[in-house]
Amino acid sequence: MPQLQPEFTESFTSSRPPPLLDMDGSGTDGESISLSVLNWEQVQRLDAILTGSIPIHGRWSFPTLEVKPRDIVKVVRSRMEEKRIHVREVRLNGSAASYVLHEDSGLGWKDLDLIFCADLKGEMEFQIVKDIVLDSLLDFLPEGVNKEKITPVTLKEAYVQKMVKVCNDSDRWSLISLSNNRGKNVELKFVDSLRRQFEFSVDSFQIRLDSLLLFYECSEHPMAATFHPTILGESVYGDFPTALDHLRRRLICTRSPEEIRGGGLLKYCHLLVRGFRAASDGEMKLLQRYMCSRFFIDFPDVGEQRRKLESYLQNHFVGLEDRKYDYLATLYDVVQESTVCLMGHERRQTLSLISSLALRVLAEQNAIPNAANVTCFYQPAPYVSDGNFSNYYVAQVQPVYSCPPSKPQQYLSLSQHPMYATWLPCN
């Protein structure tokens, strides 16, 4: 067994946690404490996530890959080091980190966000990282699959849901998201620098994995309450106790939403629908305006807004289709109440877009409240060849009227969200 470095020995053999540190490592003299040591229950949840198998679903006839997060981290990290790309540390981020710290937040965990803090100085390093991830997927293909003819391009098309690269003066990072049909994508994020690392305090947590990964490599004995590595959690919001209190009490708090791409507007409405509430109603009303302003700066065209909303609904409501309408109704209310940066017709366009998406959600769920006013359905004649022809016509009517919900769709809450337009009657 490899010899442990002296600085890790106490972590592996002692249940006594080390002193907490500030973000700059200067100790706990400051008022804001950003780090905390995970307790045994939290360590167990973290271990279950890292050692559990997550399926990566392939498109077409490509087989499903069974991947353990600890294994893919090991493979990717070792190959980055072989290519002389130094990995400073690996962290767990996002909803999975929040779940580890507090199991009953009401959010569960969706994507598995793994951050590789690495030195990415130029385009060459970004390309190497991309090639390493795609090449690593070959290691997880089932036995009997002929790997020789599978190219990186083929692997990308089969298993990667999205790729993002950001390279400017303040942000240098890339993201490769591996597909999972149940909404638990494995997202590998490679970060050299990132100015804004959170949207709200409840999603600001990162868990440092290096001590646990070293334990997996070195220890011959399983973990126990009195024998496990010391693992640190951090809140990049800046105040760990406060952020954890927000998570436990389901409070929404943020700062400077104008720094967030999209303003955090979509996540904010998602938190409201999941039972979270503003820590300060007065402050949040003001911040809503900044959220809406930044959202419309980043997505000024109604076509871009549609694509963003449809993507958000698809990615964040797997297994929660019955919440989609409430989400869109909440979004409608926030946009209607807090948007001050748009011209009147632009604002009406956006509200009409949200209304039409809400109507489509109701139709998909067979939850249209009543049949007094119905959508006209026209079957196009054979000579209609326009590819953009739609056989659904939803009226864009102002003002907006509400209809009472019909049982058993009590979750529609239409009395609280009177937001969708009456459909044109058939004559």
Side-chain angles (χ1 to χ4, degrees), residues 97-375:
S98 299
Y99 168 79
V100 167
L101 295 172
H102 181 55
E103 185 178 18
D104 189 26
S105 67
L107 294 174
W109 66 278
K110 192 178 70 66
D111 295 335
L112 183 71
D113 300 310
L114 295 165
I115 299 178
F116 294 78
C117 301
D119 297 332
L120 305 172
K121 300 304 181 185
E123 180 63 33
M124 182 178 69
E125 284 79 9
F126 282 104
Q127 184 61 46
I128 290 174
V129 166
K130 173 185 172 183
D131 294 340
I132 285 174
V133 173
L134 296 177
D135 185 61
S136 298
L137 296 179
L138 293 174
D139 293 1
F140 298 97
L141 286 170
E143 294 183 5
V145 175
N146 184 0
K147 303 178 183 180
E148 295 180 359
K149 296 183 179 181
I150 300 179
T151 66
V153 174
T154 303
L155 289 169
K156 174 181 176 294
E157 294 298 322
Y159 294 108
V160 175
Q161 184 178 77
K162 65 180 176 181
M163 284 187 173
V164 178
K165 182 179 71 174
V166 176
C167 186
N168 55 44
D169 292 340
S170 59
D171 297 329
R172 301 177 64 84
W173 58 271
S174 66
L175 170 71
I176 301 176
S177 179
L178 305 178
S179 300
N180 177 279
N181 295 342
R182 296 193 288 272
K184 292 187 182 295
N185 294 345
V186 176
E187 301 204 333
L188 308 178
K189 195 169 188 176
F190 303 88
V191 178
D192 181 276
S193 61
L194 183 59
R195 179 177 54 181
R196 176 81 181 209
Q197 301 184 56
F198 72 98
E199 291 184 88
F200 297 90
S201 61
V202 294
D203 63 18
S204 68
F205 299 105
Q206 297 181 2
I207 297 175
R208 301 180 178 183
L209 301 180
D210 286 47
S211 61
L212 182 55
L213 296 173
L214 181 59
F215 183 91
Y216 289 146
E217 292 293 316
C218 299
S219 178
E220 296 178 349
H221 304 284
M223 288 190 296
T226 56
F227 182 74
H228 63 81
T230 297
I231 303 171
L232 292 178
E234 178 179 357
S235 169
V236 291
Y237 175 73
D239 188 328
F240 192 98
T242 299
L244 187 60
D245 181 63
H246 291 167
L247 184 65
R248 288 171 173 162
R249 296 169 59 197
R250 303 188 183 188
L251 298 178
I252 304 173
C253 187
T254 190
R255 59 174 177 268
S256 305
E258 67 275 7
E259 296 177 355
I260 309 169
R261 176 165 171 79
L265 174 64
L266 302 187
K267 178 66 176 287
Y268 171 66
C269 294
H270 194 179
L271 290 173
L272 289 174
V273 169
R274 299 299 291 271
F276 285 66
R277 57 186 175 83
S280 170
D281 290 333
E283 181 182 5
M284 195 55 65
K285 292 295 183 184
L286 175 62
L287 292 179
Q288 282 180 190
R289 294 192 172 191
Y290 290 105
M291 293 179 198
C292 290
S293 297
R294 178 60 195 261
F295 180 82
F296 292 116
I297 290 172
D298 292 330
F299 307 101
D301 179 74
V302 71
E304 295 178 73
Q305 295 166 21
R306 174 181 292 277
R307 286 189 291 273
K308 182 62 178 177
L309 285 174
E310 289 178 341
S311 174
Y312 195 91
L313 291 171
Q314 179 181 354
N315 294 330
H316 291 80
F317 289 87
V318 176
L320 297 169
E321 284 75 14
D322 59 334
R323 299 285 186 93
K324 287 183 179 180
Y325 177 84
D326 286 341
Y327 173 78
L328 290 167
T330 301
L331 177 63
Y332 185 100
D333 284 347
V334 172
V335 171
Q336 185 180 48
E337 176 183 344
S338 302
T339 299
V340 296
C341 61
L342 297 181
M343 300 291 288
H345 73 281
E346 293 173 327
R347 184 169 175 270
R348 287 191 294 271
Q349 273 188 325
T350 299
L351 293 175
S352 294
L353 167 63
I354 300 172
S355 296
S356 66
L357 290 175
L359 284 170
R360 189 174 73 183
V361 165
L362 292 181
E364 290 171 352
Q365 298 173 359
N366 293 320
I368 300 300
N370 62 58
N373 296 311
V374 298
T375 298

